[in-house]
Amino acid sequence: MPRMELTELLERLPVPWLDRQGLAVEWFEPWDLSLESALRSLPESLTSPHELLGLLMRNVTTGRKRTALVTRGGRPVAVLGLRRWMRFWEPVWWRGPINERFTSAAHEAELLPALAATGLNIWMVTRSAPEMGRVRSATQFPVYKIPCADSERVWRETGHWKRIREARNRTRGFMFEIDPPGAAEWTIRNWARKWHAYEAESDLLLAAEYFAQRDLCHVAVLREGGVKAASCMFLVVGDELLAQVNFHSEDYRWHAAQTRLYDLVVAWAYGSGVRSIDMGVSYGKSYKQRWAVRDGTAWMFNVAPAHLHFMRSAVKAGASALGSVRRFAPKGTT
């Protein structure tokens, strides 16, 4: 049986050992108007509006989506919009419009119990440490920000002034624009193709349009003539810009187009009264570590019932063992 079919079969099994701690879960697939009534009693934020959650869950994509209405004593405590990714589920906020600054529609104290009550294997990222007793695993990752000040001062203090000057010289004559027509779509589609993130592409386009209509989403573009060399998309969150997705053409790697673009964005943001650019989480060595300053921590964590957790552990252990066999076996025997 294919691994995905086995995972879905295990998700559907009745699990008498699952302690929902007084919570009831009702599933909706597709979205139902009754969920909008439940959302009105739940907290929302500027970056996680209830209206957008409904739009995202109604938006048909390549990935399967399910919505859980979680109640306690008949009172809504969470509306969880979930999307399948490989063998697990993730909040529809994640991997797209989407990073750890977005929050689920749930009362804070009830979020982890609500996730556990679904009986699914769910991964998510938050900026606050999860209650360790309710999660299977949690890993800390650094968050990086670029302070917005006089751009020369910023780059001198971060040790990048030489690279910036080189990028400026190599992009003489290039044009810098904010929100030119078609920029969001060009950025998102190229980003999705580069990272094979097609399941998030449609949701990203929808969210970008939603926030742009409210003057909360901006796309910066660097172009040579009529050809786009690099772009980056940001959300406005108070006095910060929250980085979303970016893309640069390999044809302009020598020009250091992405470097020059961030140089221009910092200058533009500073002139617009922005305090800092939140680059988000770095999951390993990346440009964020080179260009930004560490400012905070995020947690990636997993909530799953015992049988799905053990299956995941067994698959991981099996893959590790197979890798060891292949590493040490004589050539031609595997």
Side-chain angles (χ1 to χ4, degrees), residues 16-31:
W17 58 85
L18 181 64
D19 181 10
R20 290 192 168 88
Q21 300 186 355
L23 294 174
V25 180
E26 184 178 1
W27 288 103
F28 294 86
E29 189 178 346
W31 183 265

Side-chain angles (χ1 to χ4, degrees), residues 3 312-328:
R3 186 181 300 165
R312 170 179 169 267
S313 299
V315 169
K316 186 176 180 180
S320 177
L322 181 59
S324 298
V325 170
R326 287 176 173 170
R327 220 171 21 248
F328 293 108

